[in-house]
Amino acid sequence: MTASKLDQLREMTTVVADTGDIEAVRRLKPVDCTTNPTLILKAVETPAYAHLVDEAISWGKKAGGGEKAVHAVCDRLAVTFGAELTKIVPGRVSTEVDADLSFDTQATIDKARTIIAAYQERDIERDRILIKIASTWEGIQAAKVLQAEGIDCNLTLLFALPQAVACADAKAFLISPFVGRILDWHVKAGGGPYTAETDPGVVSVKGIYAYYKAFGIKTVVMGASFRNTGEIEALAGCDRLTIGPGLLDELAAATGDLPRKLSPASSPHVASPGGGRIVLDEKAFRFAMNEDAMGTEKLAEGIRGFVKDLRGLRKLVAARLG
């Protein structure tokens, strides 16, 4: 019997579940799991997890009231869901720093340390957790400090090579270059039609992967934000891929050969001017991002979206505490 495409993918790529749905993770058995404010908000609004929310609210009422308590309860919810996920997946769980701290290096560092301490209070060590940070210049500099302290980071909302270059320089443990949102931007701009191989998001991740492998960069490349299984199949062999439950189910139901498309030994090119390693200071980074309309717009849009859902979560928590 032919193995499913999901099983074939697992032979060459570490499969990560992009969800806060604990039951979906239990069913799909990924190695790692990632969450974000949008996914946590959805999980909190699901009746099945009411007991986890009730515990956090009860804890928050004992901690006092006000905005500080609301923020503390939101942190606790993120860690509570993360702790539940660590009981299911054998690998890492990514927990995101508040998106409204994306342009504050020190506040990001402080929040990351708080998250790690909260996990350690539950006897979950830092080697099970990735701190998820937006790939702004400030976020990347925070990751540089945290990595030096032994706190591994997942740099998210990554749309452009300059972001990937800066993350490598910061020695980030992992980056999450987005695929589907890049496709969305190009389609909205009138591009296409695209095949899986010409999909601009797929092309972007392949370029970043090739750059990393060409220079022996150890930062893990984890493709994210998929719109269809074709994008996933076109990146088979990438270090890791984080995939939502719906697409994981589609891959589990699909059969047929799934050829490997990416491997360290066969990276097709070095995606940099002149073929050398790119050097970026803050000014060069900001200018390079300014030159990339898609990268700049999608990064800003992504932060706004996460902040909106974070505020929604805080509003829900405030009402419950109130």
Side-chain angles (χ1 to χ4, degrees), residues 153-261:
C153 298
N154 169 354
L155 275 297
T156 189
L157 292 175
L158 195 149
F159 300 97
L161 183 62
Q163 292 173 291
V165 170
C167 289
D169 291 343
K171 295 182 168 53
F173 178 83
L174 179 149
I175 60 168
S176 296
F178 280 35
V179 178
R181 296 194 196 191
I182 293 178
L183 173 65
D184 295 345
W185 189 92
H186 284 277
V187 169
K188 187 176 180 180
Y194 299 106
T195 66
E197 293 296 330
T198 63
D199 182 309
V202 170
V203 172
S204 176
V205 174
K206 284 184 174 181
I208 290 167
Y209 180 92
Y211 179 84
Y212 274 24
K213 301 314 175 189
F215 294 106
I217 294 166
K218 294 182 180 179
T219 298
V220 174
V221 179
M222 182 173 75
S225 166
F226 293 105
R227 295 292 177 260
N228 54 68
T229 56
E231 291 176 327
I232 297 166
E233 292 182 35
L235 292 173
C238 192
D239 300 335
R240 304 186 191 192
L241 296 174
T242 181
I243 307 167
L247 292 177
L248 285 172
D249 284 333
E250 284 187 40
L251 289 167
T255 56
D257 186 43
L258 178 61
R260 182 169 191 145
K261 297 297 180 71

Side-chain angles (χ1 to χ4, degrees), residues 42-124:
K42 287 180 181 177
V44 165
E45 293 174 331
T46 302
Y49 305 126
H51 63 292
L52 299 179
V53 180
D54 291 343
E55 186 281 330
I57 296 297
S58 177
W59 175 87
K61 286 181 177 178
K62 294 174 185 175
E67 185 178 353
K68 188 174 181 180
V70 171
H71 286 229
V73 169
C74 290
D75 289 347
R76 188 172 183 86
L77 281 168
V79 172
T80 294
F81 276 91
E84 291 298 311
L85 292 169
T86 64
K87 298 174 186 176
I88 306 169
V89 299
R92 304 266 195 155
V93 171
S94 290
T95 297
E96 191 143 353
V97 167
D98 295 347
D100 55 4
L101 303 179
S102 296
F103 301 100
D104 189 330
T105 296
Q106 189 57 53
T108 296
I109 293 168
D110 294 342
K111 179 66 76 171
R113 290 169 177 163
T114 297
I115 292 168
I116 290 297
Y119 274 112
Q120 289 178 327
E121 286 175 5
R122 301 177 190 225
D123 297 322
I124 299 168

Side-chain angles (χ1 to χ4, degrees), residues 269-288:
H269 64 284
V270 178
S272 67
R277 185 157 179 171
I278 301 167
V279 179
L280 292 176
D281 59 11
E282 181 178 353
K283 291 179 182 178
F285 173 87
R286 294 193 186 282
F287 185 79

